[in-house]
Amino acid sequence: MVKTEDMSTMADSWREVFERSRLVPPPRQAVRLAVDSHFTQSHGFQLCLSRLTVAQPPQEISEGGQDLTYQLQVTLFDRSHQHFFGKTWKSQPQRMKTNKIFFDQVLYFHTSLRLPSTVVVLELVSLLPRPDGSQQALGRGFTVLELFINRPEAQPADGDRRLNLHHGSPRNLLHPLLKDAVDYSSLLKAIEGARLDCAIKKHPALVSMMHLLPENVLVSGDENIPGLAASPTGDALLRPQLLKMLPFNLNRLTISLQPSLEKFESRLLQLINADCHNTKQPGPDETLRTVAIQERRLHVGVHNGWCFLEKPQVVVLELLSSGARSRADSTSKQSTLIKDSSSTLSQTLGLRSSLELRLANHHALAIVFQLEYVFSAPIGPETMLSTTSTSRAAFLQCLRWGVWCPFQQPADRNGEELQLVLQGGAKPNPHGVMVYSTEMSAKTQSPVPLSAAGTAQEISEARDTIKFRLSSGLEKKELSPKVSLRSKQEDVPRQRRSPTSPSKGRKYIPPASPPESPQGPGLSLSQLAATSHYPTVSHSSKALPWQQSFPSLLHPSPLASSHQLSHVAQAGLVVSNIAHMEVALQPRGDVSPSAQDEGDQLEELPFTPVHAPIIPVGMNEPSSCTVSSRSSLAHLYSAGFPDIVDHSGQVAEVLDPTEPVPFDPQREDTDLLQGNLLVFQFLAFTRIPTAGVGADWPDNIYFTFQFYRFPPVTSQQLKLVTSGKVQQRAGNPLPCVLASINKDGTVNSGSPGLQLQFRVDEGFLRPGEKRWFLRYLALHTMHIDIWDSNSLLLIGSTAIELKYLLRQGKPAVQALHEVEVLTTDYVGEDPLLASANLGRQSAIRPMTVHTITKGRLHIRTGNIGCPVDASKRGPADIMPTTSHIITPREVTGGFRGGSLSSRNILQLNARNAAQARRLKMDGDLVPLYKRGIRADIIMPGEHDSGTRKLNCMAAVHQWEGKKDAQAAKVMDQEKEAPLARELHQIKPSEDHSKAEGITNMLSQAITTHHLLYASLGSAEYMEFVLKNPFNVPQTVTIHSDDPELSVLTNAEEWGYFKALTRTPTPLEENMFHLEEDAPGPRVYLRPKESIHIPLKYQSFLCDHTMALQGPSFLPTGKGSGMARKNLSNIVAAKTIKVTFKAEDGKPMAIFQVNVEPTPHVVYQTFRLYHPELCFLKKAIRLPPWHDPTEPDGRTHISVRCSDPNIICQTRMLVPGEPQDVYLKVPGSPSPNIKMFFVMVFTDKWMAAPSQIWQIYVHFLERVDVSCVTGQRNCQSLVLRGRQAVRKVKCFSSHPQEIEVDPDSVFLLPPAAVQELQVKVQPWQAGSRFFYVNAVDVEQRRILTAWLLCLNVHRPVLSKAFEVCVPVGGGRGSSRKITYTNPYTRSRTFLLRSDHPDLLQFKEDKFQLSGGESYTIGLRFAPSQSPGSVEILVYVNNQEEKTEETFCVKVNYS
């Protein structure tokens, strides 16, 4: 039966959204230009509107207009075509406060018109209420925000923007003088002092919900978008979550037209034919040409008031008899439907098959029906047709439409037949088309007024209606074939669906991707022409209004794919589709039985490890700086800190750290003071009461940080000095002034605070580095760790923005920062409660990461400009002119002959000077042997005198007589014999030395040297010009003796580095030949040919040596000098040779690279604590980054680690989701600290790291303790002595919950064993982590560190009480509890509470005899806000063991 319940407001929710979502389309020329520019993918954007500042308030406010409010209206505008489009967004009315209007609203939109002409126009409107209740709107000015900027001198499109307001109305932009204007600022008059602060950035998270919202629509996060799940934060578009789409079947669909289908169509054809004859002159053969009905179609889609969720499905309706529902004659489709008076059975339009729709349970989601007819119109002789055209053409016309919301009211409509009224006439409809309506049809219908669209109720017979049944697709599928060829794989969530290849022999149906690909069958007009054998009409100026340009038969429409007409036989296709869906669950036929017996390969589910991510300080919030109170500022300025003055002695200009800083690179380039003296003054530290520590903690502190590429700085000990004259307030503690501590432990009586200076001038910066240094100051924050000097425990971390160090042409600037010192605490649930709630997953206890504020650091930063001597000025501010192309030096002369001395070789290369001297020494030995003198008996400097004596003796013997002459001759012969033998032995060595010298000299002649400055992770690109000197072709093998210097064999990577370095050399595809066993790539050279070999040097390894933990004893102000003298070279210096060998294996050229290391910039510092000798698994949250060159919004983020033993990786997630870097670090013994660097790359080829993180992992001895809240538990620790006697004292991170015995300084002899007693008394249930350090008090070094892993349970409650305490007034409440000693002997009891700030006892200790009662006096502190809290009262004995536990619920009302 037909559903007859009252549903008069069925589509009210949808209509409300639809009426509000109407928009103006963009200009067609802009759309075509975007398509021609390949901007077809829509991108999401986020526009943050913060505040508007004016120089002076309007006159209405000054005259007392308290009801005046302001509104911001935002619209998209195309300045090339001077066309407003989209939909104007209006903010909530806001009042002006102190010349500022705070909007604090976020807008979202997505567009594919990423053209420079697309801008956002923002208008400020004042609203003044009128007596009749309406509001008078008056424009106060407007501004223009550029979205897509292609001018190099303009500001980047993404990021914070400050816009100046202009006089007048946005209608000024329609003036002809402003058409195609590049910059409006020169043509529009600005309002002095009026500016709007906003921020524009990409928002890839909108990709998942773009099918719910049309393009070019500005919406806020609280906008009603059906299909989008509500967010608890109120901003549903920040991280959109979609409602689950469920399948539904639409069947038994019939349409009834009044008064009957025959009369309706007859009247329709008469009107159309009459209109055709009225629009053109009939010829002699025009009387026989009439318009005929070709097909009757129905569009069915799901609409959310904004747009269609998917492209509507199109089905062809058939003529059905209301009696027999038999198929009508096919010839009736092309007939003129002349009325047959003998027909007794009325006909209706029906669909024999069923439709599959996907709906979400939302009251504003609607099913939209549109009845459309396809007519074949006659073509007149004036129409321009091709020779293949026939005499008829097809055109479309919408006749009726209707809307129905299935979830407007909770009802079960499965299987029930529903009726819906169809509308016609000039009314807004979701398809945006003109709908047929005639007076005749209105007169023939019932005089009862039409109900609203979407009304499904009991309808009279005089109304055009549609009947259908809607059933859930999760139930049993019907036997009739579905028109929609949707795969069942889409029922699986998209996150868990993996692509599978289609089975062999089955037709693959590609998955739908809304809104481009329709879910159901899509009819193309080429199919209509093919079915009716009618041609396509080309555009003509005399064409009828309803004639359209259709695709030709020779060029099928893109919609004509696997989705075919419903009346075409598709049984085989449906069956194959179902088989394809089931093939993933069945074993394939080509798999062997043995493989099936082994089991299927398990598929990995999309699982993210539950590692609590570390969020870098200062990442999410633009600034963590707070505004100091006046009392704190007065206290600081009265302490006598040194002033920051410029080079002329004037006090530096003070900048407000809460205001944005404009950055103009041209001002920095034209600054006369090119030197910079950067000053960091650590002034004071404000203690904040923290659980587990005393009110006077910390007492002594020190800092560690790293600025730019200076070495890490560890400050000296600083004492927190409090003044006894100043009155401290509990709610607003005053800062403690920092004072340096001398080596003897006394406080330095000089200037308070700690000042560190860093000089950055032309002598420090390398060529071209100044721009990078300014970019570092403008964009980055400096991470600072604050430590307790006594316990050497980390207090917390903070970060300060360095952009306030930019002078912008000023002599000196300074800024006072008050930043919060934060730390993270991991607290888990109570194990007993967690096991009860989680069931089988009780082993996995959830951890909650809490951010705790440990204090506030007061630091003053300054930058003092320094003059630079022009004669000594270096090229730091000029980009290096060193080309990336290395050309070998041509040798014009050859070897002139002579000995292989160092003189000849030194002319080739100075590096081989030592080798050349060695060759000279070897050559000088030869004359000694020739002169008959043994080289092993000649002392240095005596060989000349010995020769002279022998010659004199020989002359004397010849003069004295023949005998003596003969004796001398015999003596000479006896000496020459062994000398000849030795000379014969040394001759091969002499020849080898000559060959080595010649080879070395020839190698140096073909060697090209290049000096390379490299830093960690940065790739250095160069091209070596290789020339074939021979007259025959050569295949050259390239071999590098270090893998860090490699050849770029990928053409895409080569092109990327060429574009990055602007190297104007040709690029050649497939230039290198790669083999597995070859020493390197090979390249073919023609005779006398020169080619460019691309080379890249990149190192990810470095030295990880680090200083010992603890404060330093640097004198105040010496940090800059120490930093200048101890520049750390972390990457090792090396010499790398690249040899180019010919086919015969001989070198053709040698390229020698001398790597000179330079320090790198550390962006973030992380310190992690972990148990010793076990793997650390941690995740670090990456800041949001979107690559503007990627059309899909995805980012190519890759990471590398400086330690090859550490696993570092990241995973590609969906756009909009946060991305984490996962670390797996092997453990070390306690108290070792492992330091390494993590490089984050945001480009595909990892040219340069966008961020470098320095990570410290502290390994501690793990001690597991299981205890109960409020009760003391003792644990023994063992401390072992080292090689020398040490003075040791133990410290804990929570002194009020952990006590260490002994608590004073004790001697630890060498190789001794000292037992420590740790007394744990926690006050909070769950999993807790505490730290204990054993510190050498003389050397300030950690000997051993322990990590206490507490598993704290709640106690068993004895009694429960409830008390009400009034709110406000400054008065608390007093109550009493009676306690009786259950023992027969006298006992002493102690009273404890887990909230000592809310509850105090009259007496903390009392003694009772056996059976005696005692009244416990309770004093509850007052509260200023209503609420409730549970306070536990512990009655402990003298050993701090809990006797009784009371629970007091305090209600503040």
Side-chain angles (χ1 to χ4, degrees):
M1 61 178 294
V2 180
K3 189 74 173 181
T4 58
E5 61 185 72
D6 185 12
M7 302 179 187
S8 58
T9 60
M10 180 58 66
D12 288 351
S13 299
W14 176 87
R15 183 176 297 277
E16 180 182 353
V17 179
F18 178 69
E19 293 292 341
R20 192 174 63 250
S21 61
R22 301 181 64 184
L23 53 92
V24 179
R28 295 183 178 180
Q29 299 88 338
V31 176
R32 284 197 297 266
L33 181 60
V35 174
D36 296 340
S37 304
H38 304 286
F39 294 152
T40 57
Q41 184 73 23
S42 184
H43 285 204
F45 296 90
Q46 182 188 66
L47 176 60
C48 302
L49 305 174
S50 57
R51 63 182 176 184
L52 189 140
T53 307
V54 296
Q56 57 183 359
Q59 185 177 1
E60 292 84 349
I61 295 183
S62 60
E63 293 178 356
Q66 301 297 331
D67 297 333
L68 185 65
T69 58
Y70 293 89
Q71 187 181 65
L72 204 60
Q73 299 182 2
V74 187
T75 313
L76 292 174
F77 180 71
D78 188 286
R79 58 184 175 188
S80 296
H81 305 92
Q82 293 184 312
H83 181 84
F84 289 95
F85 62 95
K87 178 178 175 292
T88 301
W89 176 87
K90 299 180 180 180
S91 69
Q92 295 293 333
Q94 304 291 338
R95 298 184 183 276
M96 180 177 292
K97 300 178 181 179
T98 63
N99 299 351
K100 294 181 180 179
I101 308 173
F102 293 91
F103 293 101
D104 296 331
Q105 289 190 288
V106 182
L107 300 184
Y108 302 90
F109 68 97
H110 69 96
T111 181
S112 59
L113 303 179
R114 302 192 304 276
L115 304 172
S117 60
T118 304
V119 298
V120 176
V121 178
L122 304 98
E123 182 184 13
L124 180 65
V125 178
S126 62
L127 302 177
L128 186 62
R130 293 174 176 172
D132 58 354
S134 61
Q135 289 182 331
Q136 178 184 1
L138 179 62
R140 295 291 185 174
F142 72 100
T143 183
V144 178
L145 171 63
E146 296 183 351
L147 297 177
F148 313 104
I149 304 175
N150 57 358
R151 303 193 309 273
E153 71 277 2
Q155 300 181 16
D158 294 350
D160 297 336
R161 305 291 297 274
R162 172 166 288 186
L163 307 176
N164 296 325
L165 262 67
H166 304 284
H167 286 282
S169 167
R171 295 183 180 179
N172 297 345
L173 301 177
L174 303 179
H175 196 277
L177 294 178
L178 296 180
K179 186 177 182 180
D180 297 331
V182 179
D183 189 8
Y184 287 145
S185 59
S186 60
L187 302 175
L188 298 175
K189 183 179 180 181
I191 302 177
E192 185 179 357
R195 57 184 183 269
L196 175 66
D197 294 331
C198 61
I200 181 70
K201 59 182 179 180
K202 284 192 174 183
H203 192 58
L206 292 182
V207 174
S208 61
M209 59 78 58
M210 285 183 181
H211 62 286
L212 302 178
L213 189 69
E215 288 190 33
N216 308 316
V217 176
L218 297 163
V219 294
S220 56
D222 56 353
E223 189 73 34
N224 181 19
I225 303 178
L228 192 66
S231 175
T233 61
D235 192 349
L237 295 178
L238 182 61
R239 293 181 180 177
Q241 299 293 332
L242 305 182
L243 295 177
K244 185 178 181 181
M245 304 296 289
L246 301 176
F248 287 86
N249 294 327
L250 197 68
N251 47 42
R252 296 190 181 184
L253 188 145
T254 59
I255 297 178
S256 300
L257 300 176
Q258 302 303 322
S260 66
L261 180 62
E262 295 82 356
K263 294 181 180 180
F264 180 88
E265 292 183 347
S266 177
R267 177 61 178 168
L268 176 64
L269 290 173
Q270 290 177 8
L271 294 176
I272 294 180
N273 287 321
D275 192 27
C276 292
H277 289 288
N278 292 333
T279 55
K280 58 184 178 180
Q281 297 296 330
D285 54 346
E286 285 293 327
T287 56
L288 299 178
R289 295 186 177 185
T290 57
V291 177
I293 298 176
Q294 180 174 323
E295 278 189 338
R296 306 161 181 87
R297 309 198 304 177
L298 182 68
H299 297 252
V300 183
V302 180
H303 201 278
N304 68 341
W306 292 90
C307 60
F308 285 99
L309 273 62
E310 297 170 349
K311 190 168 184 179
Q313 302 183 49
V314 185
V315 293
V316 177
L317 301 176
E318 300 180 4
L319 292 175
L320 302 178
S321 174
S322 59
R325 278 185 177 266
S326 60
R327 180 182 295 271
D329 187 6
S330 60
T331 59
S332 65
K333 293 185 180 181
Q334 300 178 9
S335 65
T336 57
L337 291 179
I338 303 298
K339 180 179 178 182
D340 185 6
S341 59
S342 61
S343 177
T344 57
L345 296 177
S346 62
Q347 290 183 333
T348 59
L349 299 177
L351 181 66
R352 293 184 178 273
S353 59
S354 62
L355 286 173
E356 181 178 310
L357 302 174
R358 299 186 67 86
L359 298 169
N361 190 356
H362 195 281
H363 62 276
L365 278 181
I367 302 176
V368 178
F369 302 92
Q370 176 184 334
L371 179 62
E372 183 182 63
Y373 273 29
V374 182
F375 299 94
S376 59
I379 301 176
E382 74 281 358
T383 306
M384 300 173 60
L385 295 176
S386 61
T387 58
T388 59
S389 301
T390 58
S391 60
R392 302 186 71 86
F395 66 93
L396 310 176
Q397 180 60 49
C398 176
L399 303 182
R400 294 289 183 265
W401 67 281
V403 176
W404 178 60
C405 297
F407 301 103
Q408 177 69 34
Q409 294 181 358
D412 185 12
R413 299 185 178 89
N414 280 338
E416 295 185 358
E417 189 175 35
L418 302 172
Q419 287 190 110
L420 182 66
V421 173
L422 297 178
Q423 295 190 79
K427 295 182 180 180
N429 58 83
H431 291 271
V433 295
M434 298 297 294
V435 183
Y436 165 76
S437 176
T438 61
E439 297 180 359
M440 181 63 67
S441 63
K443 293 178 180 179
T444 56
Q445 293 186 5
S446 173
V448 180
L450 291 176
S451 59
T455 302
Q457 58 184 357
E458 189 175 359
I459 304 171
S460 63
E461 295 297 333
R463 313 283 285 277
D464 298 334
T465 60
I466 180 173
K467 297 181 180 180
F468 57 88
R469 295 176 183 267
L470 184 68
S471 60
S472 175
L474 299 177
E475 300 175 355
K476 182 176 64 176
K477 302 295 181 181
E478 298 183 11
L479 297 178
S480 60
K482 299 285 187 292
V483 177
S484 175
L485 303 180
R486 179 186 301 277
S487 171
K488 290 183 182 179
Q489 290 179 348
E490 293 189 5
D491 293 340
V492 183
R494 296 183 181 179
Q495 300 92 318
R496 300 185 179 181
R497 181 177 59 187
S498 59
T500 56
S501 59
S503 303
K504 185 177 181 180
R506 298 184 175 96
K507 189 172 183 179
Y508 172 65
I509 306 300
S513 58
E516 287 80 2
S517 300
Q519 298 284 350
L523 267 70
S524 64
L525 292 170
S526 61
Q527 292 172 333
L528 295 176
T531 304
S532 59
H533 305 287
Y534 286 135
T536 300
V537 182
S538 61
H539 255 306
S540 173
S541 59
K542 297 182 180 180
L544 298 179
W546 51 80
Q547 292 177 352
Q548 302 179 17
S549 177
F550 301 146
S552 172
L553 291 176
L554 300 178
H555 301 86
S557 171
L559 296 178
S561 59
S562 59
H563 305 291
Q564 302 296 331
L565 300 178
S566 61
H567 59 269
V568 179
Q570 294 288 337
L573 180 61
V574 174
V575 173
S576 65
N577 188 30
I578 296 175
H580 171 69
M581 290 184 287
E582 297 175 352
V583 71
L585 303 177
Q586 298 175 358
R588 294 185 297 179
D590 54 352
V591 181
S592 61
S594 60
Q596 296 181 9
D597 295 339
E598 294 177 0
D600 298 335
Q601 180 71 26
L602 290 178
E603 294 186 3
E604 182 182 2
L605 296 177
F607 168 73
T608 303
V610 187
H611 300 152
I614 303 173
I615 301 179
V617 177
M619 176 189 300
N620 294 335
E621 299 180 0
S623 175
S624 59
C625 186
T626 59
V627 180
S628 303
S629 62
R630 295 186 182 273
S631 59
S632 299
L633 293 176
H635 180 64
L636 289 177
Y637 281 96
S638 63
F641 295 107
D643 295 330
I644 298 178
V645 296
D646 57 10
H647 65 283
S648 61
Q650 300 295 326
V651 178
E653 182 178 345
V654 180
L655 302 179
D656 187 0
T658 60
E659 293 289 337
V661 176
F663 175 56
D664 187 2
Q666 295 181 356
R667 289 187 178 180
E668 297 288 348
D669 295 337
T670 58
D671 189 6
L672 299 178
L673 304 176
Q674 290 295 323
N676 295 278
L677 181 62
L678 300 121
V679 181
F680 295 92
Q681 293 181 350
F682 297 90
L683 306 180
F685 185 87
T686 301
R687 299 188 181 106
I688 293 181
T690 308
V693 296
D696 57 347
W697 179 87
D699 187 26
N700 301 332
I701 61 175
Y702 70 95
F703 306 98
T704 58
F705 64 93
Q706 184 172 18
F707 174 72
Y708 196 49
R709 57 182 179 87
F710 289 89
V713 176
T714 301
S715 71
Q716 60 193 90
Q717 296 187 66
L718 299 173
K719 178 76 173 180
L720 272 68
V721 180
T722 57
S723 176
K725 300 180 181 179
V726 180
Q727 183 179 1
Q728 294 280 349
R729 295 182 180 180
N732 186 19
L734 292 178
C736 301
V737 177
L738 300 177
S740 58
I741 301 177
N742 302 323
K743 288 187 176 181
D744 56 358
T746 60
V747 178
N748 188 2
S749 59
S751 177
L754 174 65
Q755 176 172 313
L756 297 177
Q757 299 178 357
F758 299 90
R759 182 176 293 276
V760 180
D761 51 14
E762 306 300 330
F764 173 79
L765 298 175
R766 300 191 304 270
E769 189 183 359
K770 182 179 179 181
R771 296 185 179 180
W772 291 100
F773 174 70
L774 296 177
R775 180 178 180 269
Y776 170 80
L777 295 180
L779 301 178
H780 292 94
T781 59
M782 188 177 72
H783 182 91
I784 303 175
D785 289 326
I786 298 91
W787 302 81
D788 186 354
S789 300
N790 298 327
S791 63
L792 302 185
L793 290 168
L794 180 65
I795 299 175
S797 304
T798 187
I800 58 173
E801 292 182 312
L802 299 177
K803 62 183 179 181
Y804 299 98
L805 293 173
L806 295 170
R807 292 189 291 107
Q808 292 290 284
K810 302 173 184 177
V813 293
Q814 61 175 330
L816 179 61
H817 304 266
E818 181 181 354
V819 290
E820 294 180 340
V821 178
L822 305 176
T823 186
T824 55
D825 187 16
Y826 299 89
V827 179
E829 295 182 358
D830 189 353
L832 296 179
L833 299 178
S835 61
N837 296 333
L838 297 178
R840 291 181 298 177
Q841 300 180 357
S842 60
I844 306 176
R845 290 192 286 268
M847 298 293 297
T848 303
V849 182
H850 295 282
T851 301
I852 302 176
T853 303
K854 291 296 188 71
R856 289 191 295 269
L857 176 64
H858 302 263
I859 180 173
R860 182 161 56 186
T861 61
N863 186 359
I864 303 173
C866 303
V868 178
D869 189 0
S871 61
K872 299 181 180 180
R873 183 175 178 179
D877 56 344
I878 305 175
M879 294 301 295
T881 59
T882 304
S883 174
H884 295 273
I885 303 175
I886 293 92
T887 304
R889 178 181 55 87
E890 295 185 1
V891 182
T892 57
F895 179 58
R896 296 186 299 270
S899 63
L900 299 175
S901 64
S902 60
R903 176 184 176 185
N904 294 329
I905 300 178
L906 278 173
Q907 293 177 356
L908 300 176
N909 186 11
R911 179 181 176 274
N912 296 315
Q915 186 177 2
R917 285 194 296 270
R918 178 176 58 82
L919 292 175
K920 181 179 178 181
M921 293 172 60
D922 294 342
D924 290 342
L925 289 177
V926 179
L928 299 180
Y929 289 106
K930 290 183 178 181
R931 294 185 181 96
I933 302 173
R934 294 177 55 90
D936 54 352
I937 62 175
I938 298 299
M939 300 300 295
E942 296 181 357
H943 59 278
D944 293 336
S945 60
T947 304
R948 186 169 53 255
K949 289 181 180 180
L950 290 176
N951 293 335
C952 291
M953 290 177 64
V956 171
H957 287 303
Q958 288 181 356
W959 182 74
E960 289 180 350
K962 294 182 179 179
K963 289 185 178 180
D964 295 337
Q966 293 177 355
K969 186 177 180 179
V970 172
M971 183 184 66
D972 290 339
Q973 292 178 355
E974 292 178 352
K975 290 183 178 180
E976 288 179 359
L979 289 175
R981 291 194 300 270
E982 294 182 7
L983 183 60
H984 184 268
Q985 294 176 359
I986 201 62
K987 191 171 183 179
S989 175
E990 177 186 358
D991 297 338
H992 176 72
S993 300
K994 288 183 179 180
E996 184 180 357
I998 294 173
T999 303
N1000 182 67
M1001 187 194 67
L1002 295 177
S1003 299
Q1004 295 301 325
I1006 61 174
T1007 299
T1008 303
H1009 299 268
H1010 179 67
L1011 181 61
L1012 184 67
Y1013 293 95
S1015 60
L1016 181 65
S1018 297
E1020 299 295 335
Y1021 173 75
M1022 63 205 87
E1023 291 186 3
F1024 182 78
V1025 180
L1026 178 63
K1027 181 178 181 181
N1028 182 11
F1030 305 104
N1031 293 325
V1032 295
Q1034 292 286 335
T1035 301
V1036 181
T1037 302
I1038 307 172
H1039 172 66
S1040 174
D1041 59 1
D1042 195 318
E1044 294 181 348
L1045 182 59
S1046 59
V1047 182
L1048 297 180
T1049 58
N1050 191 327
E1052 185 180 356
E1053 183 180 4
W1054 186 6
Y1056 176 80
F1057 280 97
K1058 286 176 66 66
L1060 189 65
T1061 57
R1062 299 179 181 179
T1063 305
T1065 55
L1067 186 146
E1068 186 176 346
E1069 299 270 351
N1070 301 323
M1071 189 172 73
F1072 298 98
H1073 176 65
L1074 304 177
E1075 294 182 1
E1076 294 183 358
D1077 299 333
R1082 296 178 179 177
V1083 62
Y1084 175 82
L1085 276 80
R1086 300 179 182 90
K1088 301 296 182 178
E1089 182 188 12
S1090 297
I1091 61 174
H1092 293 256
I1093 305 297
L1095 300 172
K1096 180 185 72 172
Y1097 174 81
Q1098 191 171 24
S1099 178
F1100 300 112
L1101 305 179
C1102 65
D1103 186 16
H1104 298 120
T1105 58
M1106 53 177 292
L1108 297 177
Q1109 184 179 0
S1112 65
F1113 297 99
L1114 288 177
T1116 304
K1118 299 297 183 180
S1120 175
M1122 296 297 295
R1124 291 292 304 275
K1125 295 179 181 179
N1126 298 292
L1127 287 175
S1128 57
N1129 292 330
I1130 298 177
V1131 180
K1134 61 176 66 175
T1135 300
I1136 305 174
K1137 281 188 177 182
V1138 181
T1139 307
F1140 302 87
K1141 294 184 179 180
E1143 295 179 354
D1144 56 358
K1146 296 181 179 179
M1148 181 184 299
I1150 298 176
F1151 180 43
Q1152 180 173 319
V1153 180
N1154 302 318
V1155 179
E1156 184 70 22
T1158 57
H1160 54 271
V1161 179
V1162 176
Y1163 292 79
Q1164 293 282 349
T1165 301
F1166 301 96
R1167 293 190 180 270
L1168 310 176
Y1169 294 82
H1170 197 66
E1172 63 176 349
L1173 303 177
C1174 62
F1175 284 98
L1176 166 68
K1177 299 179 181 179
K1178 210 67 178 176
I1180 300 178
R1181 179 66 45 86
L1182 285 172
W1185 164 259
H1186 312 297
D1187 191 354
T1189 62
E1190 292 298 327
D1192 55 354
R1194 293 183 178 269
T1195 55
H1196 296 280
I1197 296 181
S1198 54
V1199 292
R1200 291 292 184 272
C1201 184
S1202 61
D1203 191 343
N1205 298 321
I1206 296 176
I1207 298 176
C1208 180
Q1209 61 183 0
T1210 183
R1211 298 183 180 181
M1212 180 63 67
L1213 302 176
V1214 297
E1217 291 296 326
Q1219 194 165 354
D1220 298 334
V1221 174
Y1222 297 98
L1223 299 175
K1224 184 179 180 181
V1225 184
S1228 298
S1230 173
N1232 290 357
I1233 302 175
K1234 181 170 292 187
M1235 187 271 293
F1236 57 92
F1237 297 93
V1238 172
M1239 293 146 279
V1240 182
F1241 298 88
T1242 54
D1243 57 327
K1244 181 180 180 180
W1245 301 108
M1246 299 189 300
S1250 61
Q1251 287 197 5
I1252 297 181
W1253 299 337
Q1254 187 176 21
I1255 300 179
Y1256 294 88
V1257 181
H1258 300 249
F1259 292 99
L1260 305 88
E1261 294 186 20
R1262 173 168 179 166
V1263 179
D1264 293 317
V1265 181
S1266 181
C1267 52
V1268 181
T1269 59
Q1271 182 171 281
R1272 178 176 295 176
N1273 193 318
C1274 296
Q1275 184 74 29
S1276 297
L1277 303 178
V1278 176
L1279 178 63
R1280 302 184 183 275
R1282 305 296 175 86
Q1283 291 80 5
V1285 179
R1286 305 291 183 97
K1287 290 184 178 180
V1288 183
K1289 186 176 181 180
C1290 296
F1291 301 89
S1292 66
S1293 59
H1294 296 71
Q1296 294 185 351
E1297 300 185 35
I1298 298 179
E1299 297 179 3
V1300 183
D1301 188 19
D1303 57 353
S1304 59
V1305 180
F1306 60 90
L1307 288 177
L1308 181 63
V1313 177
Q1314 176 71 37
E1315 182 180 4
L1316 305 177
Q1317 288 291 330
V1318 178
K1319 302 175 182 179
V1320 182
Q1321 192 173 8
W1323 303 104
Q1324 184 178 357
S1327 299
R1328 305 285 304 280
F1329 297 98
F1330 294 159
Y1331 307 96
V1332 175
N1333 283 355
V1335 181
D1336 185 348
V1337 295
E1338 292 182 339
Q1339 301 295 330
R1340 291 294 175 185
R1341 297 293 181 261
I1342 297 178
L1343 299 180
T1344 308
W1346 290 275
L1347 174 63
L1348 302 184
C1349 302
L1350 272 62
N1351 196 357
V1352 187
H1353 305 277
R1354 290 176 60 91
V1356 179
L1357 301 180
S1358 303
K1359 297 179 182 180
F1361 304 90
E1362 188 172 6
V1363 62
C1364 293
V1365 177
V1367 177
R1371 299 181 58 185
S1373 179
S1374 299
R1375 295 291 189 272
K1376 297 179 181 180
I1377 299 178
T1378 302
Y1379 177 74
T1380 303
N1381 182 10
Y1383 300 98
T1384 58
R1385 297 184 179 180
S1386 177
R1387 295 293 180 94
T1388 301
F1389 298 96
L1390 307 175
L1391 295 178
R1392 300 287 184 260
S1393 172
D1394 61 345
H1395 289 78
D1397 55 334
L1398 301 179
L1399 175 61
Q1400 296 180 357
F1401 302 102
K1402 184 178 180 180
E1403 295 179 354
D1404 294 338
K1405 182 179 180 181
F1406 60 92
Q1407 184 175 2
L1408 296 179
S1409 303
E1412 185 181 357
S1413 298
Y1414 175 77
T1415 301
I1416 302 175
L1418 308 177
R1419 179 65 180 177
F1420 297 95
S1423 176
Q1424 301 300 326
S1425 59
S1428 62
V1429 64
E1430 291 185 355
I1431 302 176
L1432 297 182
V1433 177
Y1434 300 92
V1435 181
N1436 296 348
N1437 55 20
Q1438 289 183 329
E1439 290 78 18
E1440 291 290 353
K1441 300 296 181 182
T1442 302
E1443 298 282 352
E1444 301 284 349
T1445 304
F1446 303 145
C1447 179
V1448 181
K1449 184 178 181 180
V1450 184
N1451 297 319
Y1452 296 96
S1453 59

